[in-house]
Amino acid sequence: MSLYIFVIGAALLSVVYALVVVWKIQKSAKPTEKIAEISSAIREGAMAFLKREYRTIGLVAAVIFVLLWLVLGAKVALGFLTGAVLSALAGYIGMVVSTKTNAKVAEASKQSLKKSFGLAFQGGSVTGFFVVGLGLLGVSIFWLLTKDLKALAGLGFGASLISIFARLAGGIYTKAADVGADLVGKVEQGIPEDDPRNPAVIADQVGDNVGDCAGMAADLFETYVVTIAATMILGSLLFAGSSVALVLPLLLSGAGIVSSIAATLFVKLGKKQGIMAALYKGVAAAAVISALLFIPIISKYSQTIGLDFANLYVPSLIGLALAFGLFLITDYYTSKKHKPVQQIAEASQSGHATNVIAGLAIGMQSTYAPVVLISISILVSYWLGGIYGLAVAAVSLLSLTGMIIAMDSYGPITDNAAGILEMAGADAKSREAADALDSVGNTTKAVTKSVAIGSAALAALVLFAAYTQEIINAGQNMLFSLSNPKILVGLLLGGLLPYVVASSALRAVGRAGGKVVEEVRRQFKEIKGIMEGAAKPEYGKCVDIVTKAAIKEMILPTMVIVVLPILVGFLLGAEALGGLLIGCIVTGFFVGISMATGGGAWDNAKKYIEDGHLGGKKSPAHQAAVTGDTVGDPYKDTAGPAINPMIKVVNIIALLIISLII
């Protein structure tokens, strides 16, 4: 029991730390009336969307809760409900904090880069530490109360389902608004981004929060919870009767929380005022401190489950290194400082088509290094500690979740702050710090998406290992051979699923974005005086359009994700379902990475030109880059990120139903 006291204590520390940071943010300087008014409009739109989204999700969750109760029992159903509620709460907290911090950062940007950066990171860290605190608290307490591994899988399913809804709905909302605002505002009317004359500008600002804050919070909450739960399940199957194999992932996660809180002290601007360097210092510090804290934990308990210290400690180091490696790789492909983004910008000089071609090529190319890095990590971890060593590497990577989400949530906060200052009519000098923060925010959002997808692949492999171990423990000698036609069919269907989901998401953005374009054009035509600043646009109309579209469009792809593994499992059997899981993991990883990274590169290629390169704003190259960015937007913020929870949803459903189909 003393082990669980440490775990629960670390989780509570995370929540308390987040509350203290909220208090500090509240005590910072109050924004001007104009800034507060714009921030309030963004917050109202965001909360209105979230309420409608959660009402819809609640109805779906209620039906699934009843079905789980009838088929798998009360504990699994209650686990599902617990995971769903905590995941929704994580998303809600992320939204509230982001929409309250944006105005504070906007005001602080008038004073100095140091103050505004500190507030932006603090706002992001609140979301991060609430997510890991609630996640670890939920898993550990639920396990202590139920001692039921199947119910723990149910908890993971609840978190996963909310995550896929949040990712799809938030992604459709944010990119439909963004595409609509850019196509008419920038391309047709020639007005700047975040110009208050654009009727879609508030919807665009709301979208940054519902997609990159609430969506990412629910997404990584789910990955964090599912990975811990899957490792506990795997440990119980591999080391029957060993309580240490169950509690070790909880202990490592608790140590990661303590490390991440300590690492926030290292997130400070240096003499060169390097924003990305300051954030990387925090991640590196968290990894180093975690590596030190893992030593006493693993040295004390590894022998208990029959493994040497190095068999588990080295995989834990690999997990930490993998996180940092994915950060650096994605930074290379999405930062304005490096060749990939500059190559897309240079391609823009010869037209729109060449920009799009270059962006697609960079997105595909960006999968090379992550695949090699993850492959090496898998091989070494498995060689040392078997499949449990691989699970420890996954838990170790996700022990940094608090810092990862802090970096991601930093992005929409700074994006909103820069937009609010633009809308408030602040002069260029006042916007200088906010623009610098926002520029880095594009890269932080890209790198955290890459880590999220990489961690999803590892988590899914752990879930698949638990799935196969369940089959072995049930006395089935099942060989996943390519000579089995059922397995081949499963592989093909699993490989198809990411394309079905990505296609649905992209088409949804296209349809909703088209409606926004029509509305913005209507307002520019019918409301006299908008372009002169004499009349105020009807912002609420665009907010309402994208809210309704996002809620409607998220249902079908989510149902496909949930229903397909169930149909394959019951109609074709456990072999075909295993094939589906493998196919989904492999193609899902490639689709997710290429879309998320390629979209980020397109975005920063546009910003590279806007910084004065290759003709600057309103040049032919800039117009081509705007087209590329518009294509890349749903890639990086809708379709790509939706693949992440999809991979884990199908795997955890398979784990839940395996006892019914063998």
Side-chain angles (χ1 to χ4, degrees):
M1 189 63 193
S2 59
L3 298 178
Y4 290 101
I5 290 173
F6 167 75
V7 172
I8 293 170
L12 289 173
L13 175 65
S14 185
V15 173
V16 170
Y17 175 81
L19 290 172
V20 170
V21 175
V22 169
W23 176 78
K24 285 184 178 179
I25 293 171
Q26 293 283 53
K27 297 288 285 183
S28 61
K30 289 185 177 180
T32 62
E33 186 178 341
K34 182 65 174 175
I35 288 175
E37 180 186 345
I38 297 168
S39 177
S40 177
I42 294 170
R43 184 163 55 255
E44 285 176 14
M47 298 314 296
F49 167 79
L50 206 61
K51 287 175 183 176
R52 290 172 72 165
E53 179 189 33
Y54 282 1
R55 276 201 301 268
T56 305
I57 295 172
L59 293 172
V60 176
V63 173
I64 294 175
F65 172 78
V66 172
L67 291 173
L68 287 174
W69 190 301
L70 295 173
V71 177
L72 296 173
K75 286 184 179 179
V76 174
L78 289 171
F80 167 81
L81 186 62
T82 302
V85 169
L86 289 176
S87 182
L89 183 59
Y92 178 84
I93 290 170
M95 180 83 83
V96 170
V97 173
S98 177
T99 54
K100 284 185 176 290
T101 307
N102 55 19
K104 298 278 189 176
V105 174
E107 187 62 36
S109 295
K110 298 177 184 178
Q111 301 171 40
S112 71
L113 180 63
K114 183 179 179 181
K115 284 186 178 180
S116 55
F117 170 73
L119 272 174
F121 177 73
Q122 285 177 352
S125 69
V126 171
T127 305
F129 288 110
F130 263 123
V131 165
V132 292
L134 290 173
L136 189 57
L137 206 59
V139 172
S140 55
I141 291 179
F142 188 78
W143 166 249
L144 283 172
L145 291 175
T146 64
K147 297 291 184 180
D148 189 313
L149 291 168
K150 187 69 79 173
L152 208 56
L155 188 148
F157 179 43
S160 296
L161 189 71
I162 298 300
S163 173
I164 192 69
F165 272 122
R167 263 308 190 194
L168 277 168
I172 293 166
Y173 184 111
T174 183
K175 291 304 107 180
D178 199 355
V179 167
D182 283 356
L183 285 178
V184 183
K186 288 183 184 178
V187 178
E188 295 182 9
Q189 298 295 331
I191 58 178
E193 189 170 359
D194 300 320
D195 193 297
R197 293 172 293 177
N198 192 326
V201 70
I202 292 293
D204 188 10
Q205 295 291 331
V206 170
D208 292 328
N209 295 287
V210 301
D212 277 314
C213 207
M216 184 58 130
D219 186 349
L220 272 175
F221 174 88
E222 170 255 347
T223 306
Y224 185 73
V225 165
V226 164
T227 304
I228 295 172
T231 305
M232 292 174 71
I233 294 168
L234 184 62
S236 73
L237 294 170
L238 292 171
F239 310 103
S242 172
S243 60
V244 170
L246 283 165
V247 79
L248 187 59
L250 296 173
L251 292 171
L252 296 178
S253 300
I257 286 177
V258 174
S259 302
S260 296
I261 292 174
T264 59
L265 299 174
F266 293 83
V267 184
K268 292 179 181 178
L269 291 176
K271 291 181 181 179
K272 295 183 179 180
Q273 302 283 286
I275 298 168
M276 204 69 197
L279 293 169
Y280 278 152
K281 278 191 293 185
V283 177
V288 170
I289 298 169
S290 291
L292 295 173
L293 291 181
F294 289 170
I295 293 173
I297 294 172
I298 294 175
S299 63
K300 184 173 182 179
Y301 298 110
S302 58
Q303 295 288 340
T304 309
I305 56 177
L307 293 171
D308 291 335
F309 169 74
N311 294 144
L312 291 183
Y313 185 63
V314 175
S316 76
L317 295 181
I318 288 172
L320 296 172
L322 179 58
F324 206 74
L326 289 172
F327 271 124
L328 295 177
I329 290 167
T330 312
D331 179 70
Y332 172 74
Y333 279 103
T334 57
S335 173
K336 293 183 290 183
K337 297 178 182 178
H338 302 300
K339 283 186 178 180
V341 165
Q342 294 172 14
Q343 287 171 350
I344 297 174
E346 288 164 5
S348 304
Q349 295 178 100
S350 52
H352 300 251
T354 47
N355 171 284
V356 172
I357 291 167
L360 289 171
I362 292 297
M364 293 177 186
Q365 182 186 328
S366 69
T367 62
Y368 303 173
V371 166
V372 172
L373 189 61
I374 289 176
S375 297
I376 293 170
S377 301
I378 291 170
L379 288 172
V380 177
S381 297
Y382 188 86
W383 175 64
L384 287 167
I387 196 65
Y388 193 72
L390 177 59
V392 166
V395 169
S396 174
L397 187 160
L398 285 160
S399 69
L400 304 177
T401 296
M403 285 297 293
I404 293 169
I405 294 180
M407 283 183 66
D408 183 79
S409 296
Y410 159 94
I413 290 171
T414 56
D415 195 338
N416 270 191
I420 288 169
L421 287 173
E422 173 87 25
M423 294 175 68
D427 57 47
K429 189 175 181 181
S430 298
R431 300 200 311 266
E432 192 174 321
D435 289 341
L437 295 174
D438 180 29
S439 178
V440 172
N442 283 315
T443 302
T444 65
K445 288 185 286 186
V447 297
T448 50
K449 285 184 180 75
S450 178
V451 172
I453 295 167
S455 66
L458 283 185
L461 287 173
V462 176
L463 286 166
F464 180 73
Y467 172 81
T468 55
Q469 196 63 42
E470 282 268 23
I471 294 172
I472 293 168
N473 286 15
Q476 300 285 328
N477 187 20
M478 193 173 293
L479 181 65
F480 288 97
S481 168
L482 292 180
S483 62
N484 186 332
K486 288 185 177 180
I487 292 175
L488 279 173
V489 170
L491 281 169
L492 291 172
L493 291 175
L496 173 67
L497 189 55
Y499 289 95
V500 172
V501 173
S503 171
S504 297
L506 290 172
R507 283 185 295 159
V509 171
R511 285 191 292 266
K515 292 177 182 177
V516 175
V517 167
E518 291 174 5
E519 175 60 24
V520 173
R521 284 174 177 166
R522 182 195 68 80
Q523 291 197 33
F524 275 125
K525 182 179 179 181
E526 296 180 7
I527 302 176
K528 305 301 180 184
I530 286 184
M531 286 299 292
E532 295 75 23
K536 188 176 180 181
E538 297 174 347
Y539 300 121
K541 292 286 181 69
C542 291
V543 171
D544 191 55
I545 286 170
V546 286
T547 298
K548 289 178 179 176
I551 301 299
K552 177 184 175 183
E553 299 278 5
M554 73 178 180
I555 300 295
L556 181 60
T558 304
M559 290 300 99
V560 170
I561 293 167
V562 172
V563 171
L564 184 61
I566 295 173
L567 287 177
V568 169
F570 282 100
L571 295 178
L572 298 177
E575 304 103 317
L577 182 54
L580 182 141
L581 302 183
I582 297 168
C584 181
I585 292 169
V586 173
T587 61
F589 178 78
F590 283 100
V591 171
I593 288 286
S594 63
M595 285 188 162
T597 308
W602 258 314
D603 193 349
N604 273 342
K606 177 199 68 177
K607 284 185 164 50
Y608 178 78
I609 295 172
E610 289 175 345
D611 288 343
H613 301 96
L614 308 174
K617 290 184 179 180
K618 298 186 179 180
S619 66
H622 182 240
Q623 292 173 356
V626 169
T627 299
D629 177 38
T630 306
V631 174
D633 272 339
Y635 261 54
K636 69 181 174 69
D637 289 325
T638 310
I643 302 301
N644 177 16
M646 179 212 71
I647 294 172
K648 286 161 292 175
V649 168
V650 295
N651 276 271
I652 206 157
I653 288 174
L655 194 57
L656 280 170
I657 67 172
I658 185 61
S659 60
L660 303 175
I661 61 177
I662 58 174

